[in-house]
Amino acid sequence: MSDDSPQNDSDLFDKVVNLSKRRGFVFQSAEIYGGFRSAYDYGPIGVLLLRNVKDAWWRTMVQHRHDVVGLDASILSPPPVWEASGHLQNFTDPLVDCRSCGSRHREDHLDDPDTCPTCGEEGTLTEARQFNLMFQTHAGPVADSAAEVYLRPETAQGMFVNFANVLNTSRKKPPFGIAQIGKSFRNEITPGGFVFRTREFEQMELEFFVPPEESEEWYRYWCQERLNWYVGLGISESMLRLRPHDADELSHYSSGTSDVEFLFPWGWGELEGIANRGDYDLTQHAQHSGERLDYFDQERNERYVPHVIEPAAGATRSMMAFLMAAYDEEEVNEDTRVVLRLHPDLAPYKIAVLPLSKKETLTPLAQSIFDELKTRWMTDYDQTQAIGRRYRRQDELGTPYCVTVDFDSLDDDAVTIRERDSMEQVRIPVSGLIDWFREHLD
Ligand code: ATP
């Protein structure tokens, strides 16, 4: 596979979308009413996977660091925030309409700017109009302009407007960061690619405030750290790349931006942008709010506006990348086994307890094993169908280990652990299960 050719399994996209629906990862929103293309619902398995992606990010970015604190800011925010950030003026995409078929497109996503990608007609596209992506609504009962509010299109501004609050309460000083995970909303012109581009999605963002002279060094640090995060969670390096933006792609305030990109079935696509934003954000908010948003360095007896390095990732989009990277098929006994080779930290269930038969003799032991495991790890319990079909189901959910309780278990007080990737089985005494899983999962 060459460096920028799409993944060679051209059906991968459809397979992952089908699996997602079949196994309860992701459902189309409002499906019983014909579906709503711009949003998706995360089902019983998807909610676990998405939560694990966010937890993995939070552990790496907040829990494991002494220099980052968390925040959960509001989604609704008043116009001055977006005036200061530049979103009211600049958060736009160029929109073109096809005069022939009426379809709408983002001009900067067209392969050929003269041809409509829907009907294929040439010369039918209108001039581009700048379309603001922010969702506007009204707070309170009167829908007049005084009540205008916006749904945030990114979580980042919550960190900037709370910079002084966090600085004054957290005893942190630059270099330090504020991290947030939460929903963002963009009125995308062309949502699509499953959960790749939706109008409601989740982001995981860090604003890292540094002394100006250290910004370049921290920018390089975060680019590498963020790439490593995806590799550490099981995406192979050949499916990832760090792509520095060309000068003409950079926002006017950014002195450097790199995207972490993943090789989706249709080619490289952004998972995360890491930007060196200079002092733009704090300066803008200080000017517009009249508040002081800087830092007084007592040791150096110097006041300065920290520069910001921003790693901004999509939680829902990276969840999709983790699914695509983990999807695998192999021939087993003349049958195709579908298996999600998810990293155990991301796997929705870590363990499934499977009594070999529904017979009541096995239930008490199986149930007591489940009760013990469930307090430490997300564990499934399933006693329906033949054991082979239950293994296949757990393979499709990405469950790393199945514990099978059989009739011998009643005599030897031991159970069989089956490993997802190798399908190898080991017999373990029930009393040693917790230690065994501690060693293999924690
Ligand atoms: P794109 O160029 O794909 O529109 P962007 O450069 O505007 O993305 P950022 O503003 O840098 O994206 O947002 C950070 C991250 O948030 C993106 O890398 C992506 O993972 C995620 N993200 C942005 N827009 C969407 C969306 N509409 N649906 C799902 N995830 C999104």
Side-chain angles (χ1 to χ4, degrees), residues 233-234 325-332 337-345 347 349-350 391-392 394-402 417-425 436 440-441:
L233 286 170
Y327 186 94
D328 197 13
E329 288 176 359
E330 63 180 9
E331 292 306 309
V332 179
R337 174 173 95 115
V338 173
V339 52
L340 283 187
R341 301 192 193 276
L342 286 169
H343 188 286
D345 285 356
Y349 291 115
K350 315 299 177 198
Y391 282 150
R392 291 289 187 273
Q394 295 299 335
D395 288 342
E396 291 197 353
L397 303 186
T399 309
Y401 300 105
C402 292
I417 298 179
R418 173 198 185 260
E419 202 266 332
R420 176 195 69 199
D421 293 342
S422 62
M423 294 187 289
E424 270 170 21
Q425 307 199 356
W436 196 92
H440 288 81
L441 283 172

mmCIF file of all heavy atoms in Angstrom, residues 233-234 325-332 337-345 347 349-350 391-392 394-402 417-425 436 440-441:
data_model
loop_
_atom_site.group_PDB
_atom_site.id
_atom_site.type_symbol
_atom_site.label_atom_id
_atom_site.label_comp_id
_atom_site.label_asym_id
_atom_site.label_seq_id
_atom_site.Cartn_x
_atom_site.Cartn_y
_atom_site.Cartn_z
ATOM 1 N N LEU A 233 -2.709 3.505 21.615
ATOM 2 C CA LEU A 233 -4.022 2.865 21.735
ATOM 3 C C LEU A 233 -4.313 1.941 20.551
ATOM 4 O O LEU A 233 -5.463 1.617 20.275
ATOM 5 C CB LEU A 233 -5.116 3.917 21.883
ATOM 6 C CG LEU A 233 -5.143 4.580 23.270
ATOM 7 C CD1 LEU A 233 -6.076 5.781 23.277
ATOM 8 C CD2 LEU A 233 -5.569 3.585 24.348
ATOM 9 N N GLY A 234 -3.247 1.582 19.854
ATOM 10 C CA GLY A 234 -3.382 0.458 18.930
ATOM 11 C C GLY A 234 -3.515 0.771 17.460
ATOM 12 O O GLY A 234 -3.649 -0.145 16.655
ATOM 13 N N ALA A 325 -9.587 0.952 12.380
ATOM 14 C CA ALA A 325 -8.257 0.343 12.518
ATOM 15 C C ALA A 325 -8.349 -1.034 13.161
ATOM 16 O O ALA A 325 -7.520 -1.906 12.913
ATOM 17 C CB ALA A 325 -7.368 1.252 13.366
ATOM 18 N N ALA A 326 -9.389 -1.243 13.985
ATOM 19 C CA ALA A 326 -9.478 -2.503 14.737
ATOM 20 C C ALA A 326 -10.192 -3.597 13.951
ATOM 21 O O ALA A 326 -10.040 -4.784 14.255
ATOM 22 C CB ALA A 326 -10.234 -2.261 16.050
ATOM 23 N N TYR A 327 -10.965 -3.201 12.927
ATOM 24 C CA TYR A 327 -11.794 -4.188 12.210
ATOM 25 C C TYR A 327 -10.914 -5.193 11.468
ATOM 26 O O TYR A 327 -9.998 -4.822 10.737
ATOM 27 C CB TYR A 327 -12.708 -3.474 11.214
ATOM 28 C CG TYR A 327 -13.684 -4.400 10.538
ATOM 29 C CD1 TYR A 327 -14.970 -4.566 11.039
ATOM 30 C CD2 TYR A 327 -13.315 -5.131 9.408
ATOM 31 C CE1 TYR A 327 -15.870 -5.432 10.428
ATOM 32 C CE2 TYR A 327 -14.202 -6.002 8.799
ATOM 33 C CZ TYR A 327 -15.478 -6.146 9.306
ATOM 34 O OH TYR A 327 -16.364 -7.011 8.702
ATOM 35 N N ASP A 328 -11.201 -6.469 11.649
ATOM 36 C CA ASP A 328 -10.426 -7.490 10.949
ATOM 37 C C ASP A 328 -11.327 -8.673 10.633
ATOM 38 O O ASP A 328 -12.323 -8.918 11.333
ATOM 39 C CB ASP A 328 -9.261 -7.945 11.846
ATOM 40 C CG ASP A 328 -8.191 -8.685 11.044
ATOM 41 O OD1 ASP A 328 -8.221 -8.628 9.796
ATOM 42 O OD2 ASP A 328 -7.332 -9.333 11.675
ATOM 43 N N GLU A 329 -10.966 -9.367 9.564
ATOM 44 C CA GLU A 329 -11.678 -10.601 9.221
ATOM 45 C C GLU A 329 -10.648 -11.679 9.008
ATOM 46 O O GLU A 329 -9.581 -11.403 8.463
ATOM 47 C CB GLU A 329 -12.448 -10.409 7.897
ATOM 48 C CG GLU A 329 -13.645 -9.525 8.017
ATOM 49 C CD GLU A 329 -14.319 -9.301 6.658
ATOM 50 O OE1 GLU A 329 -13.827 -9.831 5.633
ATOM 51 O OE2 GLU A 329 -15.325 -8.593 6.634
ATOM 52 N N GLU A 330 -10.933 -12.905 9.436
ATOM 53 C CA GLU A 330 -10.028 -14.010 9.140
ATOM 54 C C GLU A 330 -10.828 -15.286 8.946
ATOM 55 O O GLU A 330 -11.941 -15.412 9.443
ATOM 56 C CB GLU A 330 -8.969 -14.167 10.235
ATOM 57 C CG GLU A 330 -9.523 -14.520 11.599
ATOM 58 C CD GLU A 330 -8.438 -14.654 12.662
ATOM 59 O OE1 GLU A 330 -7.278 -14.321 12.407
ATOM 60 O OE2 GLU A 330 -8.792 -15.123 13.758
ATOM 61 N N GLU A 331 -10.216 -16.201 8.185
ATOM 62 C CA GLU A 331 -10.878 -17.479 7.929
ATOM 63 C C GLU A 331 -10.601 -18.431 9.083
ATOM 64 O O GLU A 331 -9.439 -18.666 9.417
ATOM 65 C CB GLU A 331 -10.353 -18.100 6.618
ATOM 66 C CG GLU A 331 -10.751 -17.336 5.362
ATOM 67 C CD GLU A 331 -12.257 -17.111 5.231
ATOM 68 O OE1 GLU A 331 -13.021 -18.100 5.355
ATOM 69 O OE2 GLU A 331 -12.672 -15.951 5.026
ATOM 70 N N VAL A 332 -11.644 -18.944 9.696
ATOM 71 C CA VAL A 332 -11.491 -19.926 10.767
ATOM 72 C C VAL A 332 -12.461 -21.067 10.483
ATOM 73 O O VAL A 332 -13.670 -20.839 10.388
ATOM 74 C CB VAL A 332 -11.837 -19.302 12.149
ATOM 75 C CG1 VAL A 332 -11.705 -20.348 13.248
ATOM 76 C CG2 VAL A 332 -10.960 -18.110 12.443
ATOM 77 N N ARG A 337 -14.359 -15.108 10.411
ATOM 78 C CA ARG A 337 -14.514 -14.549 11.757
ATOM 79 C C ARG A 337 -14.273 -13.046 11.677
ATOM 80 O O ARG A 337 -13.234 -12.600 11.181
ATOM 81 C CB ARG A 337 -13.503 -15.196 12.702
ATOM 82 C CG ARG A 337 -13.499 -14.567 14.095
ATOM 83 C CD ARG A 337 -12.609 -15.360 15.056
ATOM 84 N NE ARG A 337 -11.253 -14.821 15.140
ATOM 85 C CZ ARG A 337 -10.714 -14.281 16.242
ATOM 86 N NH1 ARG A 337 -11.424 -14.191 17.343
ATOM 87 N NH2 ARG A 337 -9.472 -13.834 16.240
ATOM 88 N N VAL A 338 -15.233 -12.243 12.138
ATOM 89 C CA VAL A 338 -15.051 -10.791 12.230
ATOM 90 C C VAL A 338 -14.609 -10.491 13.648
ATOM 91 O O VAL A 338 -15.237 -10.946 14.608
ATOM 92 C CB VAL A 338 -16.366 -10.050 11.921
ATOM 93 C CG1 VAL A 338 -16.219 -8.552 12.182
ATOM 94 C CG2 VAL A 338 -16.780 -10.297 10.478
ATOM 95 N N VAL A 339 -13.517 -9.763 13.770
ATOM 96 C CA VAL A 339 -13.017 -9.460 15.110
ATOM 97 C C VAL A 339 -12.564 -8.007 15.174
ATOM 98 O O VAL A 339 -11.945 -7.494 14.243
ATOM 99 C CB VAL A 339 -11.885 -10.454 15.506
ATOM 100 C CG1 VAL A 339 -10.799 -10.538 14.468
ATOM 101 C CG2 VAL A 339 -11.285 -10.122 16.864
ATOM 102 N N LEU A 340 -12.946 -7.353 16.241
ATOM 103 C CA LEU A 340 -12.455 -5.986 16.476
ATOM 104 C C LEU A 340 -11.261 -6.102 17.412
ATOM 105 O O LEU A 340 -11.414 -6.435 18.584
ATOM 106 C CB LEU A 340 -13.525 -5.129 17.162
ATOM 107 C CG LEU A 340 -14.671 -4.590 16.335
ATOM 108 C CD1 LEU A 340 -15.511 -3.629 17.191
ATOM 109 C CD2 LEU A 340 -14.181 -3.866 15.088
ATOM 110 N N ARG A 341 -10.076 -5.822 16.860
ATOM 111 C CA ARG A 341 -8.861 -5.950 17.673
ATOM 112 C C ARG A 341 -8.600 -4.622 18.407
ATOM 113 O O ARG A 341 -7.579 -3.973 18.190
ATOM 114 C CB ARG A 341 -7.680 -6.344 16.790
ATOM 115 C CG ARG A 341 -7.904 -7.662 16.055
ATOM 116 C CD ARG A 341 -6.626 -8.173 15.427
ATOM 117 N NE ARG A 341 -6.882 -9.255 14.478
ATOM 118 C CZ ARG A 341 -7.017 -10.533 14.794
ATOM 119 N NH1 ARG A 341 -6.943 -10.895 16.060
ATOM 120 N NH2 ARG A 341 -7.240 -11.454 13.867
ATOM 121 N N LEU A 342 -9.565 -4.255 19.217
ATOM 122 C CA LEU A 342 -9.447 -2.989 19.961
ATOM 123 C C LEU A 342 -8.460 -3.125 21.102
ATOM 124 O O LEU A 342 -8.369 -4.188 21.736
ATOM 125 C CB LEU A 342 -10.807 -2.613 20.566
ATOM 126 C CG LEU A 342 -11.888 -2.083 19.626
ATOM 127 C CD1 LEU A 342 -13.234 -2.040 20.364
ATOM 128 C CD2 LEU A 342 -11.531 -0.687 19.111
ATOM 129 N N HIS A 343 -7.762 -2.047 21.403
ATOM 130 C CA HIS A 343 -6.917 -1.998 22.597
ATOM 131 C C HIS A 343 -7.819 -2.259 23.810
ATOM 132 O O HIS A 343 -8.936 -1.731 23.884
ATOM 133 C CB HIS A 343 -6.277 -0.609 22.689
ATOM 134 C CG HIS A 343 -5.249 -0.501 23.766
ATOM 135 N ND1 HIS A 343 -5.580 -0.441 25.097
ATOM 136 C CD2 HIS A 343 -3.891 -0.453 23.712
ATOM 137 C CE1 HIS A 343 -4.468 -0.349 25.822
ATOM 138 N NE2 HIS A 343 -3.433 -0.358 25.002
ATOM 139 N N PRO A 344 -7.349 -3.066 24.787
ATOM 140 C CA PRO A 344 -8.207 -3.376 25.951
ATOM 141 C C PRO A 344 -8.736 -2.127 26.667
ATOM 142 O O PRO A 344 -9.864 -2.145 27.176
ATOM 143 C CB PRO A 344 -7.281 -4.162 26.877
ATOM 144 C CG PRO A 344 -6.232 -4.732 25.984
ATOM 145 C CD PRO A 344 -6.069 -3.785 24.836
ATOM 146 N N ASP A 345 -7.971 -1.044 26.676
ATOM 147 C CA ASP A 345 -8.473 0.177 27.328
ATOM 148 C C ASP A 345 -9.716 0.715 26.619
ATOM 149 O O ASP A 345 -10.527 1.421 27.218
ATOM 150 C CB ASP A 345 -7.410 1.293 27.313
ATOM 151 C CG ASP A 345 -6.317 1.027 28.329
ATOM 152 O OD1 ASP A 345 -6.423 0.040 29.072
ATOM 153 O OD2 ASP A 345 -5.340 1.809 28.363
ATOM 154 N N ALA A 347 -11.818 -1.289 24.605
ATOM 155 C CA ALA A 347 -12.840 -2.323 24.402
ATOM 156 C C ALA A 347 -14.063 -2.041 25.288
ATOM 157 O O ALA A 347 -13.915 -1.779 26.485
ATOM 158 C CB ALA A 347 -12.257 -3.689 24.749
ATOM 159 N N TYR A 349 -16.513 -4.013 26.470
ATOM 160 C CA TYR A 349 -16.434 -4.963 27.582
ATOM 161 C C TYR A 349 -15.021 -5.509 27.638
ATOM 162 O O TYR A 349 -14.442 -5.833 26.600
ATOM 163 C CB TYR A 349 -17.388 -6.144 27.371
ATOM 164 C CG TYR A 349 -18.851 -5.783 27.460
ATOM 165 C CD1 TYR A 349 -19.680 -5.890 26.345
ATOM 166 C CD2 TYR A 349 -19.405 -5.366 28.665
ATOM 167 C CE1 TYR A 349 -21.024 -5.573 26.426
ATOM 168 C CE2 TYR A 349 -20.756 -5.045 28.755
ATOM 169 C CZ TYR A 349 -21.551 -5.145 27.631
ATOM 170 O OH TYR A 349 -22.881 -4.821 27.716
ATOM 171 N N LYS A 350 -14.483 -5.633 28.843
ATOM 172 C CA LYS A 350 -13.136 -6.205 28.974
ATOM 173 C C LYS A 350 -13.236 -7.729 29.036
ATOM 174 O O LYS A 350 -12.335 -8.439 28.610
ATOM 175 C CB LYS A 350 -12.441 -5.716 30.253
ATOM 176 C CG LYS A 350 -12.576 -4.230 30.517
ATOM 177 C CD LYS A 350 -11.981 -3.388 29.414
ATOM 178 C CE LYS A 350 -12.224 -1.915 29.699
ATOM 179 N NZ LYS A 350 -12.071 -1.081 28.515
ATOM 180 N N TYR A 391 -19.016 -16.608 21.325
ATOM 181 C CA TYR A 391 -17.627 -16.144 21.114
ATOM 182 C C TYR A 391 -17.572 -15.162 19.938
ATOM 183 O O TYR A 391 -16.940 -14.121 20.008
ATOM 184 C CB TYR A 391 -16.698 -17.321 20.812
ATOM 185 C CG TYR A 391 -16.284 -18.152 22.015
ATOM 186 C CD1 TYR A 391 -16.012 -19.523 21.864
ATOM 187 C CD2 TYR A 391 -16.146 -17.579 23.277
ATOM 188 C CE1 TYR A 391 -15.614 -20.296 22.947
ATOM 189 C CE2 TYR A 391 -15.760 -18.362 24.365
ATOM 190 C CZ TYR A 391 -15.494 -19.709 24.204
ATOM 191 O OH TYR A 391 -15.097 -20.470 25.268
ATOM 192 N N ARG A 392 -18.273 -15.508 18.849
ATOM 193 C CA ARG A 392 -18.257 -14.640 17.652
ATOM 194 C C ARG A 392 -18.836 -13.259 17.983
ATOM 195 O O ARG A 392 -18.379 -12.243 17.508
ATOM 196 C CB ARG A 392 -19.069 -15.266 16.520
ATOM 197 C CG ARG A 392 -18.462 -16.482 15.928
ATOM 198 C CD ARG A 392 -17.205 -16.120 15.109
ATOM 199 N NE ARG A 392 -16.712 -17.277 14.400
ATOM 200 C CZ ARG A 392 -15.855 -18.163 14.925
ATOM 201 N NH1 ARG A 392 -15.390 -18.004 16.147
ATOM 202 N NH2 ARG A 392 -15.452 -19.201 14.221
ATOM 203 N N GLN A 394 -18.826 -11.772 20.907
ATOM 204 C CA GLN A 394 -17.851 -11.019 21.707
ATOM 205 C C GLN A 394 -16.680 -10.570 20.844
ATOM 206 O O GLN A 394 -16.138 -9.490 21.057
ATOM 207 C CB GLN A 394 -17.363 -11.859 22.902
ATOM 208 C CG GLN A 394 -18.451 -12.185 23.922
ATOM 209 C CD GLN A 394 -19.078 -10.943 24.572
ATOM 210 O OE1 GLN A 394 -18.462 -9.889 24.650
ATOM 211 N NE2 GLN A 394 -20.324 -11.063 25.028
ATOM 212 N N ASP A 395 -16.290 -11.387 19.838
ATOM 213 C CA ASP A 395 -15.227 -10.966 18.910
ATOM 214 C C ASP A 395 -15.649 -9.677 18.190
ATOM 215 O O ASP A 395 -14.852 -8.773 17.993
ATOM 216 C CB ASP A 395 -14.959 -12.050 17.859
ATOM 217 C CG ASP A 395 -14.245 -13.269 18.454
ATOM 218 O OD1 ASP A 395 -13.669 -13.136 19.556
ATOM 219 O OD2 ASP A 395 -14.288 -14.334 17.808
ATOM 220 N N GLU A 396 -16.913 -9.639 17.793
ATOM 221 C CA GLU A 396 -17.401 -8.459 17.061
ATOM 222 C C GLU A 396 -17.549 -7.234 17.957
ATOM 223 O O GLU A 396 -17.602 -6.110 17.465
ATOM 224 C CB GLU A 396 -18.738 -8.766 16.374
ATOM 225 C CG GLU A 396 -18.581 -9.748 15.230
ATOM 226 C CD GLU A 396 -19.767 -9.775 14.290
ATOM 227 O OE1 GLU A 396 -20.810 -9.134 14.574
ATOM 228 O OE2 GLU A 396 -19.657 -10.442 13.260
ATOM 229 N N LEU A 397 -17.650 -7.449 19.247
ATOM 230 C CA LEU A 397 -17.708 -6.315 20.179
ATOM 231 C C LEU A 397 -16.304 -5.897 20.604
ATOM 232 O O LEU A 397 -16.133 -4.870 21.255
ATOM 233 C CB LEU A 397 -18.506 -6.680 21.441
ATOM 234 C CG LEU A 397 -19.944 -7.157 21.281
ATOM 235 C CD1 LEU A 397 -20.599 -7.325 22.648
ATOM 236 C CD2 LEU A 397 -20.750 -6.167 20.451
ATOM 237 N N GLY A 398 -15.313 -6.735 20.289
ATOM 238 C CA GLY A 398 -13.934 -6.416 20.664
ATOM 239 C C GLY A 398 -13.578 -6.814 22.089
ATOM 240 O O GLY A 398 -12.588 -6.333 22.642
ATOM 241 N N THR A 399 -14.355 -7.729 22.706
ATOM 242 C CA THR A 399 -14.096 -8.141 24.097
ATOM 243 C C THR A 399 -12.799 -8.961 24.174
ATOM 244 O O THR A 399 -12.724 -10.036 23.558
ATOM 245 C CB THR A 399 -15.273 -8.999 24.616
ATOM 246 O OG1 THR A 399 -16.479 -8.284 24.359
ATOM 247 C CG2 THR A 399 -15.128 -9.288 26.098
ATOM 248 N N PRO A 400 -11.794 -8.492 24.917
ATOM 249 C CA PRO A 400 -10.504 -9.194 24.891
ATOM 250 C C PRO A 400 -10.546 -10.606 25.479
ATOM 251 O O PRO A 400 -9.823 -11.482 25.014
ATOM 252 C CB PRO A 400 -9.573 -8.309 25.738
ATOM 253 C CG PRO A 400 -10.248 -6.985 25.845
ATOM 254 C CD PRO A 400 -11.710 -7.237 25.684
ATOM 255 N N TYR A 401 -11.405 -10.843 26.501
ATOM 256 C CA TYR A 401 -11.390 -12.161 27.147
ATOM 257 C C TYR A 401 -12.803 -12.664 27.434
ATOM 258 O O TYR A 401 -13.657 -11.908 27.887
ATOM 259 C CB TYR A 401 -10.632 -12.092 28.482
ATOM 260 C CG TYR A 401 -9.198 -11.661 28.312
ATOM 261 C CD1 TYR A 401 -8.797 -10.367 28.655
ATOM 262 C CD2 TYR A 401 -8.249 -12.543 27.790
ATOM 263 C CE1 TYR A 401 -7.482 -9.960 28.472
ATOM 264 C CE2 TYR A 401 -6.932 -12.143 27.605
ATOM 265 C CZ TYR A 401 -6.554 -10.849 27.945
ATOM 266 O OH TYR A 401 -5.270 -10.450 27.764
ATOM 267 N N CYS A 402 -12.991 -13.972 27.166
ATOM 268 C CA CYS A 402 -14.230 -14.631 27.581
ATOM 269 C C CYS A 402 -13.886 -15.648 28.659
ATOM 270 O O CYS A 402 -12.872 -16.348 28.567
ATOM 271 C CB CYS A 402 -14.870 -15.371 26.404
ATOM 272 S SG CYS A 402 -15.506 -14.270 25.137
ATOM 273 N N ILE A 417 -10.348 -19.421 30.095
ATOM 274 C CA ILE A 417 -10.277 -18.058 29.557
ATOM 275 C C ILE A 417 -9.884 -18.163 28.085
ATOM 276 O O ILE A 417 -8.893 -18.815 27.748
ATOM 277 C CB ILE A 417 -9.242 -17.205 30.311
ATOM 278 C CG1 ILE A 417 -9.639 -17.072 31.788
ATOM 279 C CG2 ILE A 417 -9.125 -15.816 29.674
ATOM 280 C CD1 ILE A 417 -8.656 -16.271 32.617
ATOM 281 N N ARG A 418 -10.675 -17.532 27.243
ATOM 282 C CA ARG A 418 -10.374 -17.529 25.810
ATOM 283 C C ARG A 418 -9.961 -16.122 25.406
ATOM 284 O O ARG A 418 -10.650 -15.148 25.700
ATOM 285 C CB ARG A 418 -11.601 -17.952 25.007
ATOM 286 C CG ARG A 418 -11.429 -17.813 23.494
ATOM 287 C CD ARG A 418 -12.805 -17.818 22.873
ATOM 288 N NE ARG A 418 -12.792 -17.798 21.419
ATOM 289 C CZ ARG A 418 -12.986 -16.685 20.708
ATOM 290 N NH1 ARG A 418 -13.157 -15.524 21.303
ATOM 291 N NH2 ARG A 418 -13.025 -16.740 19.380
ATOM 292 N N GLU A 419 -8.812 -16.038 24.719
ATOM 293 C CA GLU A 419 -8.284 -14.734 24.328
ATOM 294 C C GLU A 419 -8.791 -14.384 22.927
ATOM 295 O O GLU A 419 -8.795 -15.242 22.035
ATOM 296 C CB GLU A 419 -6.753 -14.778 24.374
ATOM 297 C CG GLU A 419 -6.091 -13.428 24.508
ATOM 298 C CD GLU A 419 -5.695 -12.842 23.161
ATOM 299 O OE1 GLU A 419 -5.444 -13.630 22.221
ATOM 300 O OE2 GLU A 419 -5.640 -11.609 23.038
ATOM 301 N N ARG A 420 -9.227 -13.157 22.758
ATOM 302 C CA ARG A 420 -9.874 -12.731 21.515
ATOM 303 C C ARG A 420 -9.000 -12.878 20.268
ATOM 304 O O ARG A 420 -9.436 -13.458 19.271
ATOM 305 C CB ARG A 420 -10.283 -11.253 21.674
ATOM 306 C CG ARG A 420 -10.895 -10.612 20.451
ATOM 307 C CD ARG A 420 -10.909 -9.095 20.618
ATOM 308 N NE ARG A 420 -9.565 -8.530 20.587
ATOM 309 C CZ ARG A 420 -9.240 -7.325 21.060
ATOM 310 N NH1 ARG A 420 -10.157 -6.558 21.605
ATOM 311 N NH2 ARG A 420 -7.991 -6.886 20.976
ATOM 312 N N ASP A 421 -7.782 -12.361 20.303
ATOM 313 C CA ASP A 421 -7.000 -12.276 19.073
ATOM 314 C C ASP A 421 -6.450 -13.630 18.637
ATOM 315 O O ASP A 421 -6.501 -13.981 17.467
ATOM 316 C CB ASP A 421 -5.859 -11.263 19.243
ATOM 317 C CG ASP A 421 -6.414 -9.846 19.400
ATOM 318 O OD1 ASP A 421 -7.586 -9.629 19.041
ATOM 319 O OD2 ASP A 421 -5.685 -8.967 19.882
ATOM 320 N N SER A 422 -5.913 -14.381 19.581
ATOM 321 C CA SER A 422 -5.297 -15.670 19.234
ATOM 322 C C SER A 422 -6.302 -16.817 19.331
ATOM 323 O O SER A 422 -6.064 -17.896 18.807
ATOM 324 C CB SER A 422 -4.141 -15.954 20.199
ATOM 325 O OG SER A 422 -4.664 -16.051 21.513
ATOM 326 N N MET A 423 -7.415 -16.592 20.003
ATOM 327 C CA MET A 423 -8.431 -17.611 20.318
ATOM 328 C C MET A 423 -7.854 -18.720 21.195
ATOM 329 O O MET A 423 -8.455 -19.781 21.324
ATOM 330 C CB MET A 423 -9.051 -18.194 19.043
ATOM 331 C CG MET A 423 -9.853 -17.167 18.283
ATOM 332 S SD MET A 423 -10.747 -17.888 16.900
ATOM 333 C CE MET A 423 -9.431 -18.254 15.796
ATOM 334 N N GLU A 424 -6.681 -18.489 21.766
ATOM 335 C CA GLU A 424 -6.089 -19.489 22.662
ATOM 336 C C GLU A 424 -6.875 -19.565 23.963
ATOM 337 O O GLU A 424 -7.458 -18.578 24.401
ATOM 338 C CB GLU A 424 -4.637 -19.122 22.963
ATOM 339 C CG GLU A 424 -3.709 -19.755 21.951
ATOM 340 C CD GLU A 424 -2.302 -19.245 22.035
ATOM 341 O OE1 GLU A 424 -1.931 -18.708 23.106
ATOM 342 O OE2 GLU A 424 -1.600 -19.378 21.017
ATOM 343 N N GLN A 425 -6.851 -20.760 24.559
ATOM 344 C CA GLN A 425 -7.609 -20.953 25.799
ATOM 345 C C GLN A 425 -6.689 -21.435 26.905
ATOM 346 O O GLN A 425 -5.798 -22.243 26.658
ATOM 347 C CB GLN A 425 -8.714 -21.978 25.566
ATOM 348 C CG GLN A 425 -9.589 -21.611 24.366
ATOM 349 C CD GLN A 425 -10.929 -22.312 24.360
ATOM 350 O OE1 GLN A 425 -11.202 -23.136 25.220
ATOM 351 N NE2 GLN A 425 -11.764 -21.976 23.388
ATOM 352 N N TRP A 436 -5.182 -12.887 37.605
ATOM 353 C CA TRP A 436 -4.877 -13.104 36.189
ATOM 354 C C TRP A 436 -5.314 -11.876 35.373
ATOM 355 O O TRP A 436 -4.561 -11.373 34.547
ATOM 356 C CB TRP A 436 -5.607 -14.364 35.693
ATOM 357 C CG TRP A 436 -5.069 -14.869 34.383
ATOM 358 C CD1 TRP A 436 -4.088 -15.799 34.199
ATOM 359 C CD2 TRP A 436 -5.473 -14.461 33.059
ATOM 360 N NE1 TRP A 436 -3.851 -15.997 32.863
ATOM 361 C CE2 TRP A 436 -4.690 -15.191 32.132
ATOM 362 C CE3 TRP A 436 -6.401 -13.553 32.563
ATOM 363 C CZ2 TRP A 436 -4.812 -15.046 30.753
ATOM 364 C CZ3 TRP A 436 -6.524 -13.400 31.182
ATOM 365 C CH2 TRP A 436 -5.738 -14.138 30.291
ATOM 366 N N HIS A 440 -3.337 -9.014 33.108
ATOM 367 C CA HIS A 440 -3.553 -8.891 31.667
ATOM 368 C C HIS A 440 -4.326 -7.649 31.245
ATOM 369 O O HIS A 440 -4.311 -7.278 30.064
ATOM 370 C CB HIS A 440 -4.263 -10.145 31.145
ATOM 371 C CG HIS A 440 -3.367 -11.341 31.119
ATOM 372 N ND1 HIS A 440 -3.107 -12.096 32.237
ATOM 373 C CD2 HIS A 440 -2.624 -11.887 30.124
ATOM 374 C CE1 HIS A 440 -2.269 -13.077 31.931
ATOM 375 N NE2 HIS A 440 -1.961 -12.960 30.652
ATOM 376 N N LEU A 441 -5.054 -7.019 32.163
ATOM 377 C CA LEU A 441 -5.881 -5.874 31.754
ATOM 378 C C LEU A 441 -5.437 -4.535 32.340
ATOM 379 O O LEU A 441 -5.678 -3.489 31.727
ATOM 380 C CB LEU A 441 -7.350 -6.120 32.156
ATOM 381 C CG LEU A 441 -8.165 -7.068 31.292
ATOM 382 C CD1 LEU A 441 -9.524 -7.343 31.939
ATOM 383 C CD2 LEU A 441 -8.355 -6.521 29.883
#
